[in-house]
Amino acid sequence: ETVGNNVPRIDYKDDSKGALLLEPSRTNLIEYSNFNSGWSLLSGGSFTQNQSISPDGTQNADVLSGDGVNGNSIYDSISLSVQTYTFSVFAKQKDVSIISLKGFSGGAAGTSKFNLSNGTIDTASSGQFSDEKIENYGNGWYRCSVKVTATSSGSKLLGFGGENSDSGELFSLYNAQLEVGSYSTSIIPTQGGVVTRLADSCSQTP
């Protein structure tokens, strides 16, 4: 999904013949989309970099492990305003099938649970979370997303995790994304700052 400037992007996900991918301008507000920095463990467990083959075919997906006792979640602190966002991550089952997308702060609190063994919604959203979605990207990878309607501004904690009782290698994670809007768009990688993808456009010469 990453191409050079002025190169058309072709989407084969829902059409084997391919279709021109045209998207609005979006910004990934998460400064380290592949968890290289800025992320913290809520409690318990561990997080290991570059352990799995990601959807882009390289070994750059990370693994979250649990200790069977504590929160077993990883989170980031992000400044939000009162508006609608979409929060997403690519995830693949390892020892645990249920992953939660979580908001830990007032005004952007919520939980949505996804089943990575069969690609279904496990538990509907709560709090400021709604409209959860899971998409199959092949080879066991799913993109899990949820709409976050922030009701207060300020620094909010958003993240991913398992249950307190989960132990072992829980799941692989790849490319966290938070963007203003009611649905997720294609990957916008970041490495130390927010990144904006310009709107796509096309025209036909008579």
Side-chain angles (χ1 to χ4, degrees):
E1 294 182 348
T2 301
V3 298
N5 289 335
N6 299 316
V7 177
R9 296 187 297 156
I10 308 300
D11 181 10
Y12 293 94
K13 183 174 180 296
D14 298 312
D15 186 344
S16 61
K17 295 182 179 179
L20 189 63
L21 179 62
L22 299 173
E23 295 184 301
S25 177
R26 288 289 181 91
T27 299
N28 188 355
L29 299 172
I30 295 173
E31 296 186 354
Y32 289 91
S33 62
N34 274 351
F35 314 99
N36 296 337
S37 181
W39 293 80
S40 302
L41 285 165
L42 183 65
S43 59
S46 61
F47 197 72
T48 310
Q49 299 280 335
N50 302 323
Q51 295 297 298
S52 301
I53 303 299
S54 79
D56 71 15
T58 59
Q59 189 168 321
N60 60 356
D62 309 320
V63 172
L64 177 64
S65 297
D67 64 2
V69 177
N70 294 301
N72 301 329
S73 296
I74 186 172
Y75 69 90
D76 194 11
S77 177
I78 308 166
S79 180
L80 303 186
S81 57
V82 179
Q83 58 183 323
T84 297
Y85 301 82
T86 296
F87 184 41
S88 64
V89 71
F90 290 81
K92 182 177 181 178
Q93 176 183 358
K94 291 186 76 66
D95 294 338
V96 170
S97 61
I98 305 301
I99 184 173
S100 297
L101 273 62
K102 302 180 180 181
F104 301 97
S105 305
T111 300
S112 295
K113 296 183 180 182
F114 303 84
N115 189 318
L116 300 177
S117 68
N118 58 20
T120 61
I121 307 300
D122 180 77
T123 305
S125 306
S126 65
Q128 279 80 55
F129 282 24
S130 64
D131 299 347
E132 60 279 345
K133 183 179 182 181
I134 185 167
E135 301 172 273
N136 189 345
Y137 274 73
N139 196 31
W141 282 100
Y142 292 92
R143 191 181 195 183
C144 305
S145 63
V146 64
K147 185 168 72 175
V148 181
T149 305
T151 58
S152 65
S153 60
S155 181
K156 309 296 182 183
L157 304 182
L158 297 172
F160 322 99
E163 302 297 326
N164 289 348
S165 59
D166 289 342
S167 61
E169 293 187 336
L170 307 186
F171 21 73
S172 299
L173 297 174
Y174 172 73
N175 199 80
Q177 194 152 307
L178 181 73
E179 52 195 304
V180 175
S182 60
Y183 60 92
S184 61
T185 61
S186 56
I187 292 173
I188 306 173
T190 62
Q191 292 289 340
V194 301
V195 173
T196 297
R197 182 187 58 242
L198 298 179
D200 296 307
S201 63
C202 69
S203 59
Q204 181 175 354
T205 303

